[in-house]
Amino acid sequence: MNESTPLDRPFSSSSAHAGGLLTVDLGAVADNWRHMAALMGAKEAAGVVKANAYGLGVEAVGRVLAAAGCRTFFVAVPEEGVQLRKVVPGAVIYVLSGPIGSSEGLAPFLKSNLRPILNCADQVALWRSHAPGAAPYGLHLETGMNRLGLPEFEARAMATNLAPSLVISHLACADVPNHPLTEEQLRAFTELRSLYPTARASLANSAGVMLGRDYHFDLARPGLALYGGNPLPHLPNPLAQVLTLQLRVLQVRRVDTPQSVGYGATYRAPAGTVLATVAAGYADGLLRSLGNSGWGLLGGVRVPVAGRVSMDLITFDVSEAPSQAVYSGALITLIGRETADSTEQAHTLDELATEAGTIPYELLTSLSRRYARRYVGGAGS
Ligand SMILES: *Cc1c(COP(=O)(O)O)cnc(C)c1O
């Protein structure tokens, strides 16, 4: 079997029972990281793998990024760092939310050698009074997001007492063309980071990397780009698609007389319509907004969503699909290609997010735990 191709029939017995099949192309993840690393030139590209690597699996993604050369990782909370540490024993791991609560919150940092990003005076005090003096940490400087980070007066007041290994800030509008806040944040960060001359500096997320060298500093923090999302949606996407999402048909039915479909009876199926119901719904991250507007690919033909999206089910009008493609157990493709040699793509990740009225970040992190996951194209294949 060619491990670098999207899922193809027949399926392994374990995935044959799942309502949805998610194929993650780890080769594409590695290529996307290399793309970002190349844009950074002599500077470093980290990998942001918070929220289970945006839903794709932190262990598989962490391993493949480390093999591609990624040496620094960012997660959101300490538990994610503990999990990641098992697969990247030698890497630097920063935890964006820092230590939460009391001194007991520091235990996972010390045990798994995680570096907190300290985001406010309380976190700085907690870390300094309980962590060993030499344990490295990062410091978040507020530059305009007004979410986390030391405001300027604190950043100045504390500068003489602190020696962070890294100072970061986060861009609020990097993906919006020419937003004035982006340059203001660059100016503010350039000034504040100079208060911490021994620390490395990091400002750019995926979109920030695309904005050019001024934004690169020492270390970039791309997340979305690694998973194939377009960092600057108004420009063509330079990154490789990572995901294939396919939904299993549970039932096929031809209606002989005009019928309505689903909750609220919002879809009218004329006599002769062929309906196929798949085993995935909004509980699997397929937003209700796709009702009566989304579509998938079946046998190379676009098949529309018929009626509302239910919690665990979606019905498609498959009347136009070739009859040999329509059977219970067939797969309707929402993201990616139907088979390795299909020329036509269903949606890209960004397209499906737009169709659902959301952003690729939310779509990715909502992807169901009920899907069978298959990793292809990783190191060694
Ligand atoms: C999530 C996150 C990133 C990654 O952003 P992308 O837009 O996914 O590249 C970088 N930095 C911080 C602080 C984040 O929270």
Side-chain angles (χ1 to χ4, degrees):
M1 189 164 46
N2 181 352
E3 284 295 304
S4 67
T5 58
L7 207 51
D8 212 344
R9 282 192 294 146
F11 299 96
S12 69
S13 54
S14 62
S15 58
H17 307 296
L21 298 161
L22 196 60
T23 305
V24 179
D25 185 343
L26 293 172
V29 173
D31 286 347
N32 289 341
W33 182 81
R34 285 188 208 102
H35 183 91
M36 300 311 274
L39 289 177
M40 290 298 290
K43 309 298 180 63
E44 185 184 347
V48 178
V49 295
K50 61 193 180 187
N52 195 29
Y54 290 41
L56 300 189
V58 68
E59 294 184 0
V61 168
R63 256 191 220 106
V64 83
L65 289 178
C70 182
R71 301 186 309 280
T72 305
F73 292 84
F74 288 83
V75 294
V77 295
E79 292 70 28
E80 295 172 349
V82 171
Q83 198 186 357
L84 176 65
R85 176 55 79 208
K86 293 178 192 148
V87 296
V88 294
V92 171
I93 302 176
Y94 283 102
V95 178
L96 289 163
S97 294
I100 301 168
S102 64
S103 58
E104 281 127 70
L106 268 50
F109 290 92
L110 304 176
K111 191 154 170 273
S112 295
N113 186 20
L114 311 175
R115 300 185 184 186
I117 299 288
L118 305 177
N119 293 291
C120 61
D122 285 346
Q123 287 190 335
V124 170
L126 180 67
W127 185 258
R128 297 195 79 208
S129 52
H130 296 284
Y137 60 89
L139 200 59
H140 192 152
L141 306 175
E142 168 56 47
T143 59
M145 175 74 116
N146 290 303
R147 193 174 65 168
L148 289 175
L150 298 177
E152 181 177 347
F153 77 93
E154 282 179 344
R156 287 188 187 283
M158 291 184 188
T160 48
N161 289 322
L162 298 180
S165 57
L166 180 72
V167 290
I168 77 163
S169 195
H170 193 46
L171 296 166
C173 305
D175 56 340
V176 182
N178 305 314
H179 197 293
L181 184 55
T182 305
E183 263 189 60
E184 283 173 36
Q185 287 194 268
L186 176 62
R187 266 197 301 278
F189 187 65
T190 304
E191 192 177 322
L192 290 183
R193 74 144 300 185
S194 69
L195 300 169
Y196 296 88
T198 59
R200 299 177 79 209
S202 175
L203 179 63
N205 63 344
S206 300
V209 172
M210 313 309 256
L211 296 179
R213 265 197 222 143
D214 288 352
Y215 289 84
H216 289 178
F217 294 92
D218 300 306
L219 178 71
R221 308 185 306 271
L224 183 70
L226 310 182
Y227 312 111
N230 191 357
L232 300 178
H234 58 287
L235 297 177
N237 189 353
L239 299 149
Q241 288 298 298
V242 167
L243 277 193
T244 306
L245 175 58
Q246 299 175 296
L247 309 176
R248 177 85 60 195
V249 173
L250 286 176
Q251 179 192 281
V252 178
R253 205 160 67 85
R254 170 187 286 272
V255 299
D256 299 325
T257 57
Q259 300 287 335
S260 65
V261 180
Y263 284 121
T266 59
Y267 189 80
R268 300 298 303 177
T273 301
V274 183
L275 297 170
T277 299
V278 299
Y282 59 74
D284 302 293
L286 300 171
L287 304 187
R288 238 176 128 261
S289 48
L290 293 168
N292 284 318
S293 76
W295 58 274
L297 270 187
L298 181 59
V301 170
R302 284 190 182 201
V303 293
V305 172
R308 291 188 185 157
V309 172
S310 306
M311 185 185 292
D312 319 292
L313 300 167
I314 303 175
T315 300
F316 288 83
D317 183 337
V318 299
S319 308
E320 300 298 321
S323 58
Q324 74 275 10
V326 180
Y327 55 94
S328 64
L331 290 167
I332 295 182
T333 303
L334 277 197
I335 299 177
R337 291 174 204 288
E338 282 197 279
T339 61
D341 38 5
S342 309
T343 47
E344 203 187 341
Q345 280 239 39
H347 309 85
T348 63
L349 170 68
D350 293 272
E351 286 166 351
L352 188 63
T354 302
E355 202 170 293
T358 185
I359 53 173
Y361 301 83
E362 189 181 31
L363 194 65
L364 282 171
T365 54
S366 306
L367 288 169
S368 182
R369 290 169 196 222
R370 298 196 290 203
Y371 297 142
R373 275 149 210 259
R374 191 171 97 131
Y375 295 98
V376 299
S381 70

